[in-house]
Amino acid sequence: MSLIVERYAVIGNPVQHSQSPWIHARFAAQTGENLCYTRLCAPFDGFAETVRDFVARGGCGCNITVPFKLDAYALADTVSPRAAAAGAVNTLRVNADGFLYGDNTDGVGLVRDIEGNLGVALAGRRVLLLGAGGAARGVLLPLLQAKLGEIVMVNRTAERAAELAHHFAQLAAEVGCQLIGGGEAVARGVFDVVINATAGSLAGELPIFDARALGTNTLAYDMMYGSQPTVFMHYAQRHGAFTADGLGMLVEQAAEAFFVWRGVRPESALVLAELRALLGRKCID
């Protein structure tokens, strides 16, 4: 008698570059879970139809990448608190009743990479978050839950950062974190962690911030990753900081999605090390 192979996929456009099938294949092999994971490129105007067709053909869940995270949020029947805070969904699960449950694992992936893989404890620390778009919003709840001392958000359009800070103000107060949002002028002094949540690295653009935020003990973390250190990482290195890219975040958010689907938590650090070796890059540059 053959075992039933449950089907999962990553949905985006473009999607062929995604490392998710490799990552989840390693998770499945490690945990003994019987699943098949593929890539699906959805038309820009056909995301919902792509998901419904996948579910109709036996799909049990999917990861969502750009540009469909807002579409996934709208499509989900219910969402987790962290997805509600992010206003976006990157993980869909088909429940037993056929309804779609939406979650967002990006923020927890970021926190686990910084604390678990890079060994930087976040409690009580000062964090400078560059950007106020979807990526920044998607990680704010888990960052606040990490009991930071202060988060300063800087954005080219200062009003967007101020609005985002206002949106999360009550939660920040509840966890005892000072949360400030605005333009470059609101960031003063050296920060323990500087996180680039802008998409600038994709175009080789450096986000606007004061280099005096960087010290010799500062972790400069770029949520993007590529075959080489990003322009943000190069800049931070020149100013004495140590740096990391977002590959660990990618693996950690995938591990959390795997847990959401399967109820089993894989050994993500092992898979991250394998992927680093495969891509020929070090853990920290």
Side-chain angles (χ1 to χ4, degrees), residues 63-108:
N63 291 128
I64 312 301
T65 187
V66 293
F68 298 123
K69 293 183 182 183
L70 298 181
D71 299 85
Y73 183 85
L75 185 63
D77 298 294
T78 58
V79 298
S80 68
R82 57 194 180 192
V89 159
N90 78 335
T91 302
L92 286 171
R93 182 184 70 205
V94 183
N95 288 339
D97 56 12
F99 288 105
L100 290 174
Y101 170 78
D103 202 349
N104 192 304
T105 65
D106 284 333
V108 71

Side-chain angles (χ1 to χ4, degrees), residues 156-229:
R156 187 185 302 270
T157 304
E159 291 77 10
R160 290 191 65 185
E163 289 168 4
L164 191 56
H166 177 75
H167 181 80
F168 282 88
Q170 181 175 345
L171 178 59
E174 290 172 359
V175 299
C177 177
Q178 185 176 10
L179 181 60
I180 303 168
E184 182 183 348
V186 301
R188 295 185 177 89
V190 175
F191 287 80
D192 299 299
V193 182
V194 178
I195 301 171
N196 182 17
T198 75
S201 293
L202 296 176
E205 297 175 355
L206 185 68
I208 296 175
F209 73 105
D210 192 333
R212 288 175 292 183
L214 300 168
T216 55
N217 293 317
T218 300
L219 167 63
Y221 189 102
D222 200 326
M223 288 170 59
M224 301 294 113
Y225 69 93
S227 58
Q228 300 294 328

